[in-house]
Amino acid sequence: RLTGLGERLQAMSLEPESGARRTAVVDKAMTLSQDLNHGSDTVQELRRQIEREIGAAVSEINVALRDIASLNRAIARGQIGGQNVSELQDQRDKALMTVSDFMGIQTFIRGNGELVVYSESGQALVDSSAIMLDYNAATMVNINTTFDDIAINGQAITSTITSGRLRGLLDMRDGTLADLQAQLDALTAGLRDQINLVHNRGAALPPPATLTGTRSFADITIDQVTLSDSTRIAVLDASGTITAYTDLAAGTYTVQQVRDAINLGLTGFATATAGNNDGLDIAATVAGSGIALVDLVAGG
């Protein structure tokens, strides 16, 4: 898609007056934009699916912890009564394997046969009774979603889960897919900035007689604008030939300074106006002329 857009831009640069060339650029740009948006939507949908899996995993862990606690009581009673509790122990081992599959744990068995289960970082999961994991899974996921922590008795344990399927899901949601989204964002921002840079170093043909600013300034003696590159304010005739211009060096200016510099440099050709609670406007004063703002390339 990027290559296709580049080819259309190159073709338009050779024949800028062609409506077909300009339409082809717009079509390719729209297609690329749609693809980038689709890529981002797909990443976020994958994160939403994983978030749902994390919620299901926590629920499955909690069921297994309750089973272990219940089986502990049955095993302890059976041992006191001299019963064979091997089948109950097998069931408990199966529940324990479910927990250990999702997250790292530590265990030991008490003299009465009860199994005590702790998380990797030492929080009790089963000790006389089951201690449930708390987690509120997000139902909607986008690039700005902040996910809740997995917690035990209000204490966050997400960062202390370092192994198991649950760690893998967390790493996929917050690592792999988040990094992929960041790469898409960086690609999009870089593409936007480069196209804007080229666009800002060109001018409309025919040039508009007036440029009307959309940004309102509360106090033109205080409010500032910053030029990242030297900028040329030019007056052009209908054919696009420059008849007068003034340049502003890269830097930061108050709005009043910009207005006054334009009026000084383009006396007789254009007038800049700006006032408090208003925008900055530039108008050509010569009939048939227009205004162009050009971002100057170093040495250009």
Side-chain angles (χ1 to χ4, degrees):
R1 298 299 189 188
L2 282 169
T3 299
L5 177 59
E7 290 172 349
R8 296 303 186 278
L9 286 168
Q10 180 66 26
M12 187 181 69
S13 71
L14 300 175
E15 197 179 356
E17 72 281 2
S18 169
R21 298 289 194 192
R22 294 197 296 268
T23 299
V25 169
V26 172
D27 289 344
K28 280 293 182 181
M30 289 180 64
T31 300
L32 175 59
S33 176
Q34 290 165 358
D35 285 348
L36 289 169
N37 287 333
H38 177 68
S40 179
D41 290 343
T42 300
V43 170
Q44 297 311 314
E45 173 58 22
L46 288 171
R47 295 180 80 210
R48 188 190 68 79
Q49 292 175 18
I50 290 174
E51 174 70 352
R52 186 172 56 196
E53 290 186 45
I54 291 171
V58 170
S59 296
E60 194 170 342
I61 290 169
N62 285 337
V63 170
L65 293 176
R66 284 193 293 267
D67 288 345
I68 292 170
S70 176
L71 289 164
N72 270 346
R73 291 189 289 271
I75 290 169
R77 288 194 301 268
Q79 287 194 167
I80 291 173
Q83 300 171 358
N84 184 348
V85 295
S86 60
E87 184 175 343
L88 294 174
Q89 290 171 333
D90 289 343
Q91 294 175 26
R92 187 177 66 184
D93 288 343
K94 183 178 180 180
L96 183 65
M97 287 179 63
T98 296
V99 178
S100 64
D101 183 45
F102 282 110
M103 58 186 293
I105 56 174
Q106 306 175 60
T107 65
F108 70 88
I109 298 177
R110 291 197 173 107
N112 64 354
E114 289 186 347
L115 177 70
V116 179
V117 184
Y118 288 90
S119 70
E120 290 176 278
S121 54
Q123 289 97 342
L125 298 174
V126 179
D127 189 357
S128 299
S129 62
I131 297 90
M132 300 291 96
L133 303 185
D134 296 320
Y135 187 65
N136 183 28
T139 56
M140 298 294 292
V141 175
N142 56 51
I143 58 175
N144 298 315
T145 299
T146 299
F147 299 100
D148 286 350
D149 271 312
I150 300 170
I152 297 177
N153 292 328
Q155 181 179 356
I157 66 165
T158 306
S159 62
T160 66
I161 300 172
T162 62
S163 60
R165 290 171 58 193
L166 190 52
R167 180 72 264 165
L169 291 170
L170 292 166
D171 286 345
M172 181 63 71
R173 184 196 69 186
D174 301 333
T176 304
L177 290 174
D179 290 345
L180 184 55
Q181 181 65 58
Q183 292 175 40
L184 281 170
D185 291 345
L187 172 62
T188 303
L191 180 64
R192 175 203 63 200
D193 291 345
Q194 288 302 311
I195 290 178
N196 283 342
L197 181 63
V198 174
H199 182 271
N200 290 343
R201 287 172 176 165
L205 185 67
T210 302
L211 295 181
T212 302
T214 58
R215 177 181 170 189
S216 180
F217 302 98
D219 187 338
I220 64 171
T221 66
I222 297 175
D223 290 342
Q224 298 178 326
V225 292
T226 298
L227 306 179
S228 56
D229 290 306
S230 296
T231 300
R232 174 164 295 173
I233 302 93
V235 178
L236 297 78
D237 62 21
S239 67
T241 301
I242 294 177
T243 56
Y245 69 87
T246 187
D247 294 341
L248 291 175
T252 299
Y253 302 85
T254 66
V255 178
Q256 180 174 280
Q257 286 174 327
V258 172
R259 180 199 66 187
D260 293 347
I262 293 172
N263 285 332
L264 179 63
L266 294 177
T267 300
F269 292 91
T271 300
T273 58
N276 293 342
N277 301 312
D278 202 354
L280 174 66
D281 300 334
I282 310 171
T285 56
V286 177
S289 295
I291 302 296
L293 298 179
V294 183
D295 196 11
L296 295 177
V297 181

